[in-house]
């Protein structure tokens, strides 16, 4: 084969083949020769591998049989099925609070206020420095109302956002909305004060999307999207599509789709996928309409977790489903075999397998 005539050299062909291997196979391939071992640390290869991984979204789910039991973490992949993975390398009992581009933000269960950012595929992690003060005096455990993780694969940096309402003693109003932002480059927290009048349900907190250098949350009233611009440390609001309204039997969820902000609308047996095509002009377009007739009995308790242009992951109380958008086929990927204390959607996060150091 004439690689040169096709625009490739043999080394380039091998590099592109390696960039498409599963992460475990790739790490085993390091033992083949010194050239391959060195390749995994080169910026060009890391960029190639992460670009391919971004198009292959997965779901990470924490499964616990009881509140006292050690949680089990599973990864659900549309092509490779279900696999277990451990966060034991953190040497702590943790729960996952946020996920972004292959990194997980975890909080310690026994030691409140302690947070980690880790890459479970490389088993690297960073223990974040403690914040200035608890997020809310009325919450002695120090848990934030909103937790966000922003991972920039190009810059190989990440930020962690912990936000919540701070109320002084003797006041029943929500008070001031205080946000702490951790920057991986400076290894420091910075404090942002704002006045927000929007509230959040659990799934609004869980489904935070990082695109265009900002973190996005749906408000509890589904009236708008709350945006934190990490470049300028500014909170602002973004409008939803005019055609959307949240009423009886109409639910909205915020996801990411191929680097764009996306809204999943579930209404009257249909699932509509909206994408923000023009971020600056806030131009929304509906790109797919899916019938939920095949899973009619699960519709009241399903939650979209992750999606690509080819498939959509959803979690119910005891199942993880995948919908193939081209073939329009539904498939059950995982089902709880025993009694779980919490529904799967309660601890399900979008996930990707990337090469990125947390140290």
């Amino acid at each position: 084969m004439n690689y040169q005539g096709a625009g490739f050299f043999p080394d380039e062909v091998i590099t592109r083949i390696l960039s498409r291997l599963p992460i475990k196979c790739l790490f085993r391939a390091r033992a083949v020769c010194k050239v391959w071992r060195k390749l995994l640390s080169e910026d060009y290869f890391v960029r190639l591998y992460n670009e391919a991984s971004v198009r292959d979204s997965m779901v990470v789910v924490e499964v616990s049989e009881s509140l006292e039991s050690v949680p089990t973490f599973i990864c659900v992949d549309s092509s490779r099925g279900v696999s277990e993975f451990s966060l034991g390398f953190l040497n702590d009992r943790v729960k996952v609070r946020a996920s972004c581009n292959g990194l997980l933000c975890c909080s310690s269960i026994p030691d409140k206020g302690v947070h980690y950012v880790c890459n479970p595929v490389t088993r690297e992690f960073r223990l974040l420095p403690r914040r200035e003060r608890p997020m809310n005096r009325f919450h002695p455990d120090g848990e934030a109302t909103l937790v966000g993780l922003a991972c920039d694969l190009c810059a190989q940096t990440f930020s962690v956002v912990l936000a919540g309402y701070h109320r002084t003693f003797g006041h029943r109003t929500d008070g001031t909305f205080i946000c702490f932002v951790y920057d991986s480059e400076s290894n420091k927290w910075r404090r942002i004060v704002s006045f927000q009048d929007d509230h959040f349900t659990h799934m609004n907190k869980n489904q935070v999307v990082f695109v265009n250098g900002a973190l996005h949350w749906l408000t509890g009233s589904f009236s708008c999207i709350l945006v934190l611009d990490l470049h300028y440390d500014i909170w602002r609001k973004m409008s939803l599509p005019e055609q959307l309204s949240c009423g009886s039997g109409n639910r909205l969820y915020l996801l990411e789709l191929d680097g764009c902000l996306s809204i999943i609308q579930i209404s009257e047996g249909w699932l509509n996928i909206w994408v923000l095509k023009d971020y600056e002009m806030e131009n929304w377009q509906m790109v797919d309409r899916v019938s939920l007739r095949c899973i009619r009995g699960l519709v009241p308790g399903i939650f979209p977790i992750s999606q690509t242009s080819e498939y959509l992951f959803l979690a119910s109380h005891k199942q993880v489903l995948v919908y193939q958008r081209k073939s329009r086929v539904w498939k059950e990927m995982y089902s709880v075999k025993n009694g779980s204390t919490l529904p799967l959607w309660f601890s399900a996060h979008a996930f990707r397998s990337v090469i990125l150091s947390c140290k």
Side-chain angles (χ1 to χ4, degrees), residues 60-126:
V60 164
V61 185
E62 177 183 329
V63 182
S64 300
E65 295 183 1
S66 67
L67 295 177
E68 292 75 23
S69 64
V70 177
T72 300
F73 296 93
I74 62 170
C75 183
V76 184
D77 189 309
S78 64
S79 59
R80 291 183 283 271
V82 179
S83 60
E84 288 192 13
F85 73 90
S86 171
L87 296 179
F89 59 91
L90 296 177
N91 296 316
D92 198 352
R93 185 166 175 257
V94 300
K95 61 179 176 181
V96 178
R97 299 299 306 274
S99 172
C100 180
N101 286 336
L103 297 187
L104 301 178
C105 178
C106 306
S107 62
S108 173
I109 295 175
D111 194 359
K112 301 300 181 181
V114 173
H115 291 81
Y116 305 87
V117 171
C118 69
N119 186 336
V121 297
T122 62
R123 300 176 67 85
E124 294 181 343
F125 71 92
R126 182 184 295 194

Side-chain angles (χ1 to χ4, degrees), residues 282-306:
E282 297 187 10
N283 178 22
W284 292 90
Q285 293 183 18
M286 190 171 72
V287 297
D288 203 354
R289 182 171 172 83
V290 181
S291 172
L292 300 177
R293 181 173 51 187
C294 295
I295 58 168
R296 184 178 302 171
L298 299 175
V299 170
I302 61 171
F303 293 82
I305 304 298
S306 173

Side-chain angles (χ1 to χ4, degrees), residues 227-250:
V227 183
L228 174 59
D229 191 317
L230 295 174
H231 293 304
Y232 301 102
D233 288 346
I234 297 175
W235 287 92
R236 60 184 177 85
K237 295 181 179 181
M238 177 180 288
S239 302
L240 299 177
E242 295 181 357
Q243 300 89 329
L244 295 186
S245 62
C246 187
S248 177
N250 193 6

Side-chain angles (χ1 to χ4, degrees), residues 92-213:
D92 198 352
R93 185 166 175 257
V94 300
K95 61 179 176 181
V96 178
R97 299 299 306 274
S99 172
C100 180
N101 286 336
L103 297 187
L104 301 178
C105 178
C106 306
S107 62
S108 173
I109 295 175
D111 194 359
K112 301 300 181 181
V114 173
H115 291 81
Y116 305 87
V117 171
C118 69
N119 186 336
V121 297
T122 62
R123 300 176 67 85
E124 294 181 343
F125 71 92
R126 182 184 295 194
L127 173 63
L128 305 188
R130 286 185 177 270
R131 303 188 307 274
E132 300 174 7
R133 65 180 73 176
M135 186 59 57
N136 189 323
R137 291 184 183 180
F138 283 0
H139 290 81
D141 60 1
E143 292 287 0
T145 304
L146 300 183
V147 179
L149 177 62
C151 173
D152 189 330
L153 290 177
C154 295
Q156 295 280 292
T157 60
F158 64 88
S159 299
V160 176
V161 174
L162 305 178
Y165 289 97
H166 174 78
R167 294 176 288 184
T168 57
F169 290 108
H171 294 267
R172 296 183 178 181
T173 57
D174 285 330
T176 306
F177 192 78
I178 299 178
C179 172
F180 288 88
V181 180
Y182 171 82
D183 177 67
S184 63
E185 289 187 300
S186 64
N187 194 35
K188 295 180 179 179
W189 294 91
R190 61 182 185 270
R191 189 169 181 261
I192 306 171
V193 178
S194 180
F195 295 90
Q196 300 291 342
D197 56 359
D198 297 292
H199 298 271
F200 302 85
T201 66
H202 174 80
M203 286 309 295
N204 299 138
K205 293 184 294 182
N206 213 22
Q207 293 190 305
V208 53
V209 178
F210 174 65
V211 296
N212 282 60

